Amino acid sequence: ASDIENYDWLGLLESVVDASTNGLLNKEASRTRFEHCKDCIHLQSNDQCSKCGCLMKAKVRVKGAKCPIGIW
């Protein structure tokens, strides 16, 4: 299956709704989240998570977003 077929479209939609409802984290909090991602085996070279399919540089900014393996 292609990457597009494996993408978590519902997760993306939930993140967009959450960002519009609850807003975004500040840069420091987002940076802290992404530091955890950089150490994760599921982060691919394009900064996409192989577990949820999200582009993590965007996902870490959303207040209500959650790491798919519970790190943040």
Side-chain angles (χ1 to χ4, degrees):
S2 71
D3 289 341
I4 198 88
E5 291 169 351
N6 291 327
Y7 193 79
D8 179 12
W9 293 104
L10 181 58
L12 174 64
L13 180 59
E14 288 171 348
S15 291
V16 169
V17 170
D18 183 58
S20 64
T21 303
N22 299 315
L24 301 174
L25 290 174
N26 63 44
K27 287 184 180 184
E28 183 177 331
S30 299
R31 196 172 306 123
T32 299
R33 281 183 172 185
F34 193 68
E35 287 300 316
H36 290 290
C37 293
K38 290 192 320 191
D39 294 331
C40 182
I41 63 169
H42 300 291
L43 187 67
Q44 300 172 349
S45 61
N46 62 353
D47 293 331
Q48 184 176 12
C49 175
S50 65
K51 284 300 245 185
C52 66
C54 292
L55 297 172
M56 298 312 290
K57 283 190 175 182
K59 185 173 183 173
V60 296
R61 302 267 341 264
V62 180
K63 278 187 182 178
K66 293 180 176 47
C67 167
I69 61 169
I71 301 299
W72 47 263

